[in-house]
Amino acid sequence: GAGVSQSPSNKVTEKGKDVELRCDPISGHTALYWYRQSLGQGLEFLIYFQGNSAPDKSGLPSDRFSAERTGGSVSTLTIQRTQQEDSAVYLCASSLALTVEGNEKLFFGSGTQLSVL
Amino acid sequence: GESVGLHLPTLSVQEGDNSIINCAYSNSASDYFIWYKQESGKGPQFIIDIRSNMDKRQGQRVTVLLNKTVKHLSLQIAATQPGDSAVYFCAENMGGGNKLTFGTGTQLKVEL
């Protein structure tokens, strides 16, 4: 596709359930990010994949959160035993290789609105 | 007790006026800066960027100013229009493959 695609666009789940959020980056983009945005707040960094390097997981808020990126393309963010405070918009972004100057611009998807009841 | 969430700073301007949105960045080693616009229900969209070897860059109706001495970035929007109403984020990158770090955002409201 032409842009970053995220699915589902909306997800309602019950407290304690696991959820998986999917991100399809722009073809050829080697860097992929996950951010979280709570209502009326800024972007909170979660995790970052850059090519074959080990991901930067420094933003994951707890061990209930994990992400993987298969084949250097599609990424899945998994939240286990969801809590109400996990309710937020989860944004995915991709870019060309960040090691090359001029590639730092991120392209964002529309996000997944997660609601934990 | 009741918890209160953080509220984004808000800038209200009249249609047709110029808007200036400010951002203080954190890392003196950052060499690349970028402004994003986020409309309600959408992901952030690129507006304009600037490298640390510049202090000003202009786009269509937008100008970004960089003051490295005080680690300050600003976005100027000329002749603000209702369609400019959105949340604006600045972001910085330290280079060498590092991730972008975003500021907290400013809500711009354009009044008719």
Side-chain angles (χ1 to χ4, degrees):
Chain A
V4 177
S5 178
Q6 291 188 246
S7 61
S9 54
N10 282 281
K11 176 71 176 178
V12 180
T13 191
E14 295 178 347
K15 178 182 174 181
K17 300 283 189 182
D18 297 353
V19 295
E20 285 189 351
L21 312 180
R22 177 187 169 102
C23 173
D24 281 279
I26 293 172
S27 178
H29 280 193
T30 59
L32 186 148
Y33 299 72
W34 284 98
Y35 285 87
R36 176 169 72 175
Q37 188 173 32
S38 300
L39 186 63
Q41 298 192 30
L43 277 70
E44 175 190 3
F45 166 76
L46 296 177
I47 188 168
Y48 155 54
F49 298 87
Q50 170 61 58
N52 295 322
S53 302
D56 178 347
K57 304 179 181 180
S58 59
L60 295 178
S62 78
D63 58 9
R64 296 186 296 105
F65 288 73
S66 63
E68 62 178 20
R69 190 177 184 192
T70 54
S73 181
V74 172
S75 177
T76 302
L77 177 69
T78 301
I79 308 173
Q80 295 178 308
R81 305 181 301 282
T82 51
Q83 303 294 313
Q84 288 183 332
E85 61 263 27
D86 298 335
S87 296
V89 175
Y90 289 82
L91 290 162
C92 176
S94 71
S95 76
L96 293 166
L98 293 186
T99 50
V100 176
E101 187 174 292
N103 287 345
E104 301 92 332
K105 187 191 305 182
L106 296 189
F107 296 83
F108 282 86
S110 297
T112 294
Q113 173 72 63
L114 175 66
S115 300
V116 182
L117 304 179
Chain B
E2 182 176 313
S3 64
V4 178
L6 291 173
H7 294 283
L8 294 173
T10 298
L11 174 65
S12 294
V13 299
Q14 294 291 320
E15 182 181 6
D17 286 352
N18 296 333
S19 303
I20 300 176
I21 301 171
N22 296 304
C23 176
Y25 64 92
S26 59
N27 197 315
S28 57
S30 293
D31 63 358
Y32 175 77
F33 305 88
I34 190 167
W35 281 97
Y36 280 89
K37 171 186 180 183
Q38 187 177 27
E39 296 174 284
S40 180
K42 297 182 180 180
Q45 293 180 299
F46 169 83
I47 302 175
I48 192 168
D49 57 1
I50 188 168
R51 296 208 170 274
S52 59
N53 59 356
M54 302 173 67
D55 54 19
K56 180 179 180 179
R57 191 170 185 209
Q58 289 185 295
Q60 187 176 15
R61 280 202 308 119
V62 294
T63 300
V64 55
L65 299 177
L66 174 62
N67 185 331
K68 295 181 287 294
T69 303
V70 294
K71 294 190 287 187
H72 184 268
L73 194 66
S74 69
L75 177 70
Q76 300 179 359
I77 304 173
T80 312
Q81 302 169 0
D84 295 327
S85 294
V87 177
Y88 290 81
F89 294 97
C90 66
E92 61 184 300
N93 181 285
M94 290 189 291
N98 280 290
K99 61 186 181 291
L100 279 180
T101 301
F102 283 79
T104 54
T106 297
Q107 172 82 56
L108 176 64
K109 294 185 177 180
V110 181
E111 299 170 349
L112 303 177

